[in-house]
PDB file of all heavy atoms in Angstrom:
ATOM      1  N   SER A 194     -12.790   2.980   2.038  1.00  0.00           N
ATOM      2  CA  SER A 194     -13.252   4.339   1.780  1.00  0.00           C
ATOM      3  C   SER A 194     -12.275   4.973   0.802  1.00  0.00           C
ATOM      4  O   SER A 194     -11.119   5.237   1.151  1.00  0.00           O
ATOM      5  CB  SER A 194     -13.311   5.154   3.067  1.00  0.00           C
ATOM      6  OG  SER A 194     -13.511   6.525   2.776  1.00  0.00           O
ATOM      7  N   LEU A 195     -12.721   5.208  -0.423  1.00  0.00           N
ATOM      8  CA  LEU A 195     -11.822   5.723  -1.450  1.00  0.00           C
ATOM      9  C   LEU A 195     -11.314   7.120  -1.101  1.00  0.00           C
ATOM     10  O   LEU A 195     -10.154   7.457  -1.382  1.00  0.00           O
ATOM     11  CB  LEU A 195     -12.538   5.732  -2.797  1.00  0.00           C
ATOM     12  CG  LEU A 195     -12.950   4.344  -3.310  1.00  0.00           C
ATOM     13  CD1 LEU A 195     -13.831   4.475  -4.541  1.00  0.00           C
ATOM     14  CD2 LEU A 195     -11.714   3.501  -3.623  1.00  0.00           C
ATOM     15  N   ALA A 196     -12.165   7.942  -0.483  1.00  0.00           N
ATOM     16  CA  ALA A 196     -11.744   9.290  -0.097  1.00  0.00           C
ATOM     17  C   ALA A 196     -10.621   9.228   0.934  1.00  0.00           C
ATOM     18  O   ALA A 196      -9.613   9.941   0.833  1.00  0.00           O
ATOM     19  CB  ALA A 196     -12.931  10.063   0.460  1.00  0.00           C
ATOM     20  N   LEU A 197     -10.757   8.358   1.933  1.00  0.00           N
ATOM     21  CA  LEU A 197      -9.716   8.213   2.952  1.00  0.00           C
ATOM     22  C   LEU A 197      -8.456   7.594   2.366  1.00  0.00           C
ATOM     23  O   LEU A 197      -7.340   8.024   2.660  1.00  0.00           O
ATOM     24  CB  LEU A 197     -10.237   7.355   4.111  1.00  0.00           C
ATOM     25  CG  LEU A 197     -11.241   8.004   5.052  1.00  0.00           C
ATOM     26  CD1 LEU A 197     -11.766   6.978   6.049  1.00  0.00           C
ATOM     27  CD2 LEU A 197     -10.603   9.171   5.786  1.00  0.00           C
ATOM     28  N   GLN A 198      -8.622   6.581   1.548  1.00  0.00           N
ATOM     29  CA  GLN A 198      -7.473   5.874   0.981  1.00  0.00           C
ATOM     30  C   GLN A 198      -6.605   6.801   0.138  1.00  0.00           C
ATOM     31  O   GLN A 198      -5.374   6.801   0.251  1.00  0.00           O
ATOM     32  CB  GLN A 198      -7.955   4.687   0.134  1.00  0.00           C
ATOM     33  CG  GLN A 198      -6.844   3.756  -0.326  1.00  0.00           C
ATOM     34  CD  GLN A 198      -7.383   2.629  -1.191  1.00  0.00           C
ATOM     35  OE1 GLN A 198      -7.605   2.807  -2.375  1.00  0.00           O
ATOM     36  NE2 GLN A 198      -7.593   1.482  -0.591  1.00  0.00           N
ATOM     37  N   LEU A 199      -7.240   7.615  -0.684  1.00  0.00           N
ATOM     38  CA  LEU A 199      -6.498   8.505  -1.571  1.00  0.00           C
ATOM     39  C   LEU A 199      -5.774   9.594  -0.793  1.00  0.00           C
ATOM     40  O   LEU A 199      -4.603   9.898  -1.077  1.00  0.00           O
ATOM     41  CB  LEU A 199      -7.459   9.131  -2.583  1.00  0.00           C
ATOM     42  CG  LEU A 199      -6.832   9.875  -3.764  1.00  0.00           C
ATOM     43  CD1 LEU A 199      -5.967   8.935  -4.586  1.00  0.00           C
ATOM     44  CD2 LEU A 199      -7.913  10.493  -4.644  1.00  0.00           C
ATOM     45  N   THR A 200      -6.422  10.173   0.200  1.00  0.00           N
ATOM     46  CA  THR A 200      -5.791  11.256   0.954  1.00  0.00           C
ATOM     47  C   THR A 200      -4.737  10.753   1.929  1.00  0.00           C
ATOM     48  O   THR A 200      -3.809  11.488   2.283  1.00  0.00           O
ATOM     49  CB  THR A 200      -6.848  12.078   1.717  1.00  0.00           C
ATOM     50  OG1 THR A 200      -7.680  11.204   2.497  1.00  0.00           O
ATOM     51  CG2 THR A 200      -7.717  12.859   0.739  1.00  0.00           C
ATOM     52  N   GLU A 201      -4.853   9.505   2.380  1.00  0.00           N
ATOM     53  CA  GLU A 201      -3.810   8.918   3.224  1.00  0.00           C
ATOM     54  C   GLU A 201      -2.582   8.554   2.398  1.00  0.00           C
ATOM     55  O   GLU A 201      -1.449   8.654   2.868  1.00  0.00           O
ATOM     56  CB  GLU A 201      -4.342   7.678   3.948  1.00  0.00           C
ATOM     57  CG  GLU A 201      -5.291   7.984   5.093  1.00  0.00           C
ATOM     58  CD  GLU A 201      -5.822   6.731   5.750  1.00  0.00           C
ATOM     59  OE1 GLU A 201      -5.624   5.630   5.191  1.00  0.00           O
ATOM     60  OE2 GLU A 201      -6.443   6.840   6.826  1.00  0.00           O
ATOM     61  N   LYS A 202      -2.805   8.127   1.161  1.00  0.00           N
ATOM     62  CA  LYS A 202      -1.707   7.721   0.292  1.00  0.00           C
ATOM     63  C   LYS A 202      -0.914   8.918  -0.199  1.00  0.00           C
ATOM     64  O   LYS A 202       0.313   8.908  -0.201  1.00  0.00           O
ATOM     65  CB  LYS A 202      -2.280   6.940  -0.899  1.00  0.00           C
ATOM     66  CG  LYS A 202      -1.267   6.548  -1.967  1.00  0.00           C
ATOM     67  CD  LYS A 202      -0.476   5.325  -1.615  1.00  0.00           C
ATOM     68  CE  LYS A 202       0.381   4.854  -2.775  1.00  0.00           C
ATOM     69  NZ  LYS A 202       1.128   3.634  -2.473  1.00  0.00           N
ATOM     70  N   TRP A 203      -1.614   9.950  -0.650  1.00  0.00           N
ATOM     71  CA  TRP A 203      -0.968  11.117  -1.236  1.00  0.00           C
ATOM     72  C   TRP A 203      -1.410  12.381  -0.514  1.00  0.00           C
ATOM     73  O   TRP A 203      -2.561  12.804  -0.619  1.00  0.00           O
ATOM     74  CB  TRP A 203      -1.311  11.218  -2.728  1.00  0.00           C
ATOM     75  CG  TRP A 203      -0.656  10.172  -3.568  1.00  0.00           C
ATOM     76  CD1 TRP A 203       0.597   9.664  -3.425  1.00  0.00           C
ATOM     77  CD2 TRP A 203      -1.232   9.500  -4.698  1.00  0.00           C
ATOM     78  NE1 TRP A 203       0.848   8.721  -4.392  1.00  0.00           N
ATOM     79  CE2 TRP A 203      -0.247   8.597  -5.194  1.00  0.00           C
ATOM     80  CE3 TRP A 203      -2.462   9.579  -5.346  1.00  0.00           C
ATOM     81  CZ2 TRP A 203      -0.481   7.788  -6.292  1.00  0.00           C
ATOM     82  CZ3 TRP A 203      -2.687   8.769  -6.443  1.00  0.00           C
ATOM     83  CH2 TRP A 203      -1.701   7.890  -6.909  1.00  0.00           C
ATOM     84  N   ARG A 204      -0.502  13.014   0.205  1.00  0.00           N
ATOM     85  CA  ARG A 204      -0.813  14.224   0.971  1.00  0.00           C
ATOM     86  C   ARG A 204      -1.319  15.352   0.082  1.00  0.00           C
ATOM     87  O   ARG A 204      -2.106  16.199   0.514  1.00  0.00           O
ATOM     88  CB  ARG A 204       0.437  14.688   1.717  1.00  0.00           C
ATOM     89  CG  ARG A 204       0.858  13.764   2.846  1.00  0.00           C
ATOM     90  CD  ARG A 204       2.154  14.254   3.480  1.00  0.00           C
ATOM     91  NE  ARG A 204       2.559  13.377   4.576  1.00  0.00           N
ATOM     92  CZ  ARG A 204       2.222  13.572   5.835  1.00  0.00           C
ATOM     93  NH1 ARG A 204       1.468  14.620   6.151  1.00  0.00           N
ATOM     94  NH2 ARG A 204       2.616  12.746   6.783  1.00  0.00           N
ATOM     95  N   ILE A 205      -0.855  15.369  -1.167  1.00  0.00           N
ATOM     96  CA  ILE A 205      -1.223  16.445  -2.073  1.00  0.00           C
ATOM     97  C   ILE A 205      -2.743  16.526  -2.289  1.00  0.00           C
ATOM     98  O   ILE A 205      -3.286  17.575  -2.609  1.00  0.00           O
ATOM     99  CB  ILE A 205      -0.489  16.274  -3.434  1.00  0.00           C
ATOM    100  CG1 ILE A 205      -0.617  17.546  -4.269  1.00  0.00           C
ATOM    101  CG2 ILE A 205      -1.021  15.066  -4.191  1.00  0.00           C
ATOM    102  CD1 ILE A 205       0.225  17.531  -5.524  1.00  0.00           C
TER     103      ILE A 205
END
Side-chain angles (χ1 to χ4, degrees):
S194 169
L195 297 172
L197 286 174
Q198 189 182 82
L199 192 61
T200 52
E201 286 178 349
K202 175 81 172 182
W203 289 323
R204 291 177 179 268
I205 193 172

